[in-house]
Amino acid sequence: MDLDSLFASMSTAEWILNFAFHSLLVLLMGWLFIRLLRRRSAPLRSKIIFVTMVALMLLPFFSVTYLSFDIAFCKTPLPFAGDSPLSNTEISDYKIPRFSAENDAPAIFYEGTAANTTKPNKISVFFQSILSGITTANVINGIGLIWLAGFIFLLGRLLYGAASLKRFKKDLVKIQEVRLDEILRQAQRTFHFRSLPEVYASKSAKSPVVMGITRPLIVLPQKVYGKLSTKEIRSILFHELSHIYHKDQVTGVLQRIVTALYWWNPFVHTMSTDFSKA
């Protein structure tokens, strides 16, 4: 399929509108639940946001499946089906009836009004010539292309950040201390981890952070670590281990992908902020 036929495709325009409508509906429902439960516990609100994000993540796959199998109840018929370009002849070729008394019988015939009207404005003719080949499907497919371009740009930034983390890991120094081992053993009894994450120090880290998805590790600022007491290190490590226990590093990636996919929707940015706070 070439670019011209893609922009003129009515089925593509229908899919874009249905996909945008369904995503807006899911986001609005999730946002309303969060507003209604804003005084409840943070874990409850975070679970609602997580379920909403998973639904939004799966929505493109369901939408393509519905389109492929032409499931009627998942597709909204559009009012512009069979849309055609706006033609200049719709204005200039307008006809009016005129009566004739020939043969003493009224007869109706049509005559163009171009001779009775003034010459059209050059500016209006210019814009009519531009709009004459544009259909509603062209406009919707163009908006869909902008949506896709924004998603690719934001996803590229996310991948660039992941590549930067690999370079960041090269400068990490593993911390091996007796007091740290004792704290990690206490954490294993508390969180029931099969294997504990390793703890590293970094010169460029400004605050403690968890890195990695399948094999997470904890990074502490090297300048701060030497000044901390055993009690303070225990509090920091237990805080970071709780993030690993709740799989926050996984939901964080999901949060960024969903935000990139629905970057045009203000509700997704509001939910992302609420999720970070929760």
Side-chain angles (χ1 to χ4, degrees):
M1 180 182 291
D2 57 359
L3 191 61
D4 293 337
S5 59
L6 180 64
F7 272 95
S9 174
M10 189 67 62
S11 60
T12 304
E14 287 184 350
W15 182 82
I16 292 173
L17 278 187
N18 280 277
F19 180 42
F21 172 74
H22 293 152
S23 64
L24 182 62
L25 186 62
V26 173
L27 276 167
L28 184 59
M29 291 177 61
W31 181 80
L32 287 175
F33 272 113
I34 295 170
R35 295 298 97 183
L36 293 174
L37 301 175
R38 61 183 180 273
R39 295 183 180 180
R40 298 296 181 89
S41 62
L44 176 61
R45 288 185 285 113
S46 62
K47 287 179 181 179
I48 294 174
I49 298 175
F50 178 74
V51 172
T52 305
M53 289 194 299
V54 171
L56 290 170
M57 194 71 180
L58 297 176
L59 185 60
F61 302 101
F62 286 118
S63 183
V64 171
T65 304
Y66 296 152
L67 183 65
S68 302
F69 290 96
D70 196 21
I71 301 177
F73 66 87
C74 294
K75 290 180 62 179
T76 304
L78 300 181
F80 56 83
D83 194 12
S84 60
L86 176 64
S87 174
N88 296 334
T89 58
E90 294 179 5
I91 299 175
S92 61
D93 292 346
Y94 178 71
K95 309 295 182 178
I96 59 173
R98 198 181 73 175
F99 290 93
S100 173
E102 184 179 357
N103 297 327
D104 297 328
I108 298 178
F109 66 95
Y110 294 89
E111 179 180 305
T113 60
N116 300 326
T117 58
T118 58
K119 293 183 179 181
N121 193 317
K122 292 182 178 180
I123 298 178
S124 62
V125 172
F126 172 74
F127 282 107
Q128 282 184 5
S129 62
I130 295 177
L131 296 174
S132 61
I134 298 179
T135 64
T136 310
N138 294 149
V139 176
I140 295 175
N141 291 330
I143 295 174
L145 184 63
I146 296 174
W147 181 356
L148 179 62
F151 170 63
I152 293 175
F153 172 74
L154 295 174
L155 186 63
R157 287 182 57 184
L158 181 61
L159 295 176
Y160 177 78
S164 301
L165 288 178
K166 289 186 177 182
R167 295 192 298 267
F168 178 77
K169 287 181 179 180
K170 294 180 180 180
D171 298 329
L172 299 180
V173 178
K174 187 176 181 180
I175 302 176
Q176 294 179 338
E177 289 186 359
V178 177
R179 62 172 181 170
L180 185 64
D181 294 337
E182 178 62 28
I183 294 172
L184 291 176
R185 282 193 293 269
Q186 293 176 7
Q188 190 169 23
R189 292 192 295 268
T190 302
F191 293 101
H192 304 288
F193 286 126
R194 293 183 179 179
S195 60
L196 287 170
E198 297 179 338
V199 183
Y200 291 83
S202 172
K203 295 180 180 179
S204 55
K206 297 181 180 180
S207 61
V209 64
V210 175
M211 295 178 56
I213 297 177
T214 56
R215 297 180 62 184
L217 52 90
I218 299 174
V219 180
L220 302 177
Q222 189 171 358
K223 295 180 180 180
V224 179
Y225 177 77
K227 303 177 182 179
L228 296 175
S229 64
T230 302
K231 185 177 181 180
E232 290 172 332
I233 294 176
R234 183 181 182 279
S235 299
I236 293 173
L237 287 179
F238 268 67
H239 176 82
E240 299 303 324
L241 287 169
S242 66
H243 284 301
I244 299 175
Y245 179 78
H246 291 289
K247 307 295 182 183
D248 288 340
Q249 71 276 14
V250 179
T251 56
V253 174
L254 176 64
Q255 175 186 2
R256 287 167 176 79
I257 294 176
V258 171
T259 305
L261 181 58
Y262 301 96
W263 58 269
W264 54 271
N265 197 314
F267 289 112
V268 75
H269 296 283
T270 303
M271 290 184 60
S272 178
T273 303
D274 289 341
F275 186 71
S276 299
K277 291 179 180 179

